[in-house]
Amino acid sequence: MVMKYIQKLLTSVITISLVTSITHLPTVQAVDTDGSANTWTYEKARHLASKTLFGPNKEIVDQLYNAGSASAAIDIIFPSPDGPDRTEFEQILTESELYDPTSFENDRTKMEKYYVAKRYLDPYQAKAKLFAIFEDIYAVDQIRDRIDYSDIERTHNMLYSNALGSYKQMVKDNLFGTDGSYALGEYLDFFDLNKNNPNENYARELIQLFMMDIFKPYNNHNTPDLVRNYSEEDVAALAKILTGFTFNTGSHIVSLDLEEHNTSTGVIFLDGDLQE
């Protein structure tokens, strides 16, 4: 029964998104920015909805527009860190035939369907959409070698809980989270070396993929007077900062051995204690 409900709802979400984009909402136009920044228009409300929500319909856009200002509309979209009550949502998911972690290891299709349902049924759409963005950045959802479903689930829970928080904290929690975040280190082969051996490749991947790009936004190798965002000295320093990290092969819990931590750089990672 729950399975049929989810299937119908997902179909409805997709259908409504298509129909409303064609019939219920006005033709897409660029938002006029020549007027006063304080002017709140229907077009701006629609633009805000399309950027922050999954498949917003006319009713939602009307609600945001009738809020009277961008600030009031934002309060509707992001009412609080926790958002709406999630009791019914969690019950629907756990009772669904899709929810079967024991089968996810051998059935990626089933796991993907479960996550699609989880994303689109979430009562806090704006937070779910932010999670989807971060989950795409931290693309460590591949079950392989020593990465299993529980590792992916811990990473997803951590990303969701930090979706409205600090990106700096998100990076730190991916390295050494309170939930034992493990997938990122395994995904980038950080744990294949000794815990006290600086891993320059891991530090470089971490900087390039999750902390900053090689170059400034919209720049590339063909940009005149190209300036890199970081130096080789930065890579070497981060590699030393990350020494001492280790993991338990059974629990996949990541920890830091301070006795093995290299302190020669005198730099604290991301302006805070490694264990925060």
Side-chain angles (χ1 to χ4, degrees):
M1 183 67 182
V2 175
M3 181 64 175
K4 291 182 179 178
Y5 169 74
I6 290 178
Q7 290 175 336
K8 288 182 179 179
L9 188 54
L10 289 177
T11 301
S12 299
V13 167
I14 297 172
T15 303
I16 291 172
S17 298
L18 292 174
V19 172
T20 53
S21 64
I22 296 173
T23 61
H24 291 174
L25 298 179
T27 303
V28 177
Q29 299 290 340
V31 176
D32 182 9
T33 58
D34 292 334
S36 170
N38 294 325
T39 302
W40 182 238
T41 66
Y42 192 87
E43 288 73 19
K44 290 180 180 179
R46 184 191 183 285
H47 183 73
L48 177 64
S50 67
K51 292 298 183 181
T52 58
L53 304 173
F54 289 118
N57 55 32
K58 185 177 185 300
E59 181 180 357
I60 294 174
V61 176
D62 286 344
Q63 183 183 13
L64 298 180
Y65 173 63
N66 292 330
S69 67
S71 177
I74 289 294
D75 288 340
I76 293 175
I77 294 173
F78 296 99
S80 69
D82 296 329
D85 182 79
R86 302 174 64 80
T87 304
E88 183 179 357
F89 165 67
E90 297 291 349
Q91 182 178 359
I92 290 174
L93 286 179
T94 54
E95 292 179 357
S96 166
E97 295 176 14
L98 289 175
Y99 182 70
D100 184 13
T102 59
S103 70
F104 289 163
E105 300 289 340
N106 300 315
D107 191 346
R108 282 296 306 278
T109 300
K110 189 171 184 178
M111 185 176 77
E112 290 168 358
K113 288 180 179 179
Y114 167 72
Y115 279 117
V116 168
K118 185 176 182 180
R119 181 178 301 176
Y120 283 95
L121 291 174
D122 195 312
Y124 203 162
Q125 280 195 45
K127 190 173 182 179
K129 191 165 186 177
L130 282 174
F131 161 76
I133 294 172
F134 292 131
E135 194 275 332
D136 188 57
I137 294 173
Y138 291 90
V140 292
D141 57 348
Q142 302 293 320
I143 293 176
R144 65 166 200 177
D145 300 332
R146 293 177 296 196
I147 299 177
D148 57 32
Y149 172 74
S150 62
D151 300 319
I152 295 171
E153 186 71 359
R154 280 197 294 266
T155 297
H156 281 187
N157 290 340
M158 184 278 298
L159 293 176
Y160 189 90
S161 64
N162 283 330
L164 298 180
S166 164
Y167 186 78
K168 178 175 71 173
Q169 189 64 46
M170 188 179 295
V171 174
K172 292 169 70 174
D173 283 354
N174 254 306
L175 293 170
F176 184 47
T178 55
D179 293 329
S181 301
Y182 165 87
L184 183 62
E186 182 60 59
Y187 187 71
L188 297 179
D189 300 323
F190 181 55
F191 300 130
D192 285 345
L193 297 178
N194 295 329
K195 59 185 176 181
N196 61 343
N197 186 7
N199 186 336
E200 183 176 317
N201 181 67
Y202 179 73
R204 188 184 308 279
E205 295 282 6
L206 187 64
I207 291 176
Q208 288 184 8
L209 299 177
F210 307 113
M211 295 171 63
M212 62 182 72
D213 199 355
I214 304 176
F215 309 112
K216 294 181 179 180
Y218 309 112
N219 287 358
N220 55 47
H221 291 281
N222 299 319
T223 303
D225 303 321
L226 192 64
V227 178
R228 288 167 55 114
N229 280 332
Y230 58 88
S231 67
E232 291 302 304
E233 288 76 14
D234 295 326
V235 174
L238 180 57
K240 291 180 180 179
I241 290 169
L242 296 175
T243 56
F245 277 96
T246 185
F247 73 105
N248 183 295
T249 56
S251 65
H252 287 190
I253 299 299
V254 180
S255 60
L256 175 66
D257 185 347
L258 289 175
E259 293 184 358
E260 300 289 349
H261 176 55
N262 184 301
T263 59
S264 63
T265 61
V267 179
I268 299 300
F269 178 56
L270 290 182
D271 302 321
D273 192 317
L274 283 168
Q275 298 191 59
E276 286 183 351

